[in-house]
Amino acid sequence: MDLQNRPLKKRPLFSNRLSIITVAAGSAIGLGNIWKFPYITGKNGGAAFIIVYLCCIALIGLPVLISDFMIGRRGGKNVVGSFRALAGDRSPWLFGGFIALFGSATVLSFYGVVAGWSLGYVVKAVSNGFAGKSPAEVGAMFNDFVTSPIAPIAYQLIFMSITAGVVYAGVKKGIEAFSKVMMPILIGIIVLLCIRSLTLPGAEGGIAFLFKPDFSKLSAAGVLDALGHAFFTLSLGVGTMITYGSYIDKDENLATTALQICIADTVIALLAGIAIFPAVFAFGVEPGQGPGLVFVTLPNIFVQMPGGYFFCILFFLLLAVAALTSSISMLEVSVAYASEDLGISRKRATLFLTALISGVGIICSLSLGQYRESLTLFGKNFFDLADFAVSNVEMPIGGAISVLFIGWVLKRQKSEEELTCHGKIKVPLIAAFIFTAKYLAPVGIAIVFLHSLGVI
Ligand code: PHE
């Protein structure tokens, strides 16, 4: 049987606008917002970096997100199938689909490891594991935990099993229903944490750090970090938003939806900053702490803070919840492909792909510990290599393919049909969008990409 042309079961669609935004914002809002954004902001000096980051979201992230949605909805299939439906069976553009498949699986492999740490830290927080420890001891505890061979892997596998369970249940009954419960919880927790942080004496220093720009602290590397992070935080270039786009009803306004998702994602990143930096300043800690900010600096602060026991639990719960609504979107990319194009049932595909991706994740986790020597390639351990390969290489390439496809390949008339829902709605700035997709975004991405590889 020709599997690619076999009659497909009717594809599911997200129920309504609110569902689309909840699910897609659930994908966008994740460890990127709560773990990565605060520490790269800290590293790059605060407010000036945030301004550059906002420009990257508006000028490049938003157009790529709209392009991903257009490809998915117009193609009406998984990431490879959508390119195939729009460009033809043997088109080189199919490469865009396959590289996205690879990217989504790779990102999930190391993401599951960090998400596992968050689960582990929920347990440590509940058992009051940080109490009475000196900052150096909390640092050593993190180091011992992530380099140990069993515990982080056990938590990673628990996390991956929950992810698989949600995807296994399907697009509507699993992904949509789960996100609708989790996202309000996430917002509730982050607001509580912000209130706690802002009411600490000395919180103003953190607010000034976040909102008073000092451009002398911004470097070229900071600009690169900003663009790379814009991709990561909006889940771009790995097929997630193409796959989710294929579940969006044909009457939805894609541009507005994409804009709302960008706003939601940015607001949560800023709230994460507000939950963290005022507390960091109130306790006189250095803001530029790097990746350990959340797992080392914060537990140290929580132990000194009134009510810190509960806020510590809430914080790591927040990380785990945010990570889950993102990891399901990563797994859905390859599950949708395998079940539609390879003729494997959705349930089997979920089980098989989860096992495969978790296996790679285990290698990433082990590469941080005692197997570091043997699990190193190109001078990087597997964990860093997976992060680098996705964030710095695959995502920019995948994102560029989407905008180039919309800018140069899909006929202008078809793009307009997609954006205006076949003329039913009026959408401003279409010409500006197409111009951005054709020139601005690809050139911006190319510069950053070449720079990150050290070519320019
Ligand atoms: N956007 C997610 C975050 O910020 C990460 C992600 C990347 C999700 C790629 C899906 C695909 O944590």
Side-chain angles (χ1 to χ4, degrees), residues 27-33 107 111 232-236 238 240 326 329-330 395:
S27 168
I29 297 165
L31 296 174
N33 303 58
V107 75
Y111 202 85
F232 189 85
T233 194
L234 291 175
S235 313
L236 300 174
V238 290
T240 308
S326 299
S329 73
M330 298 173 190
M395 283 183 167

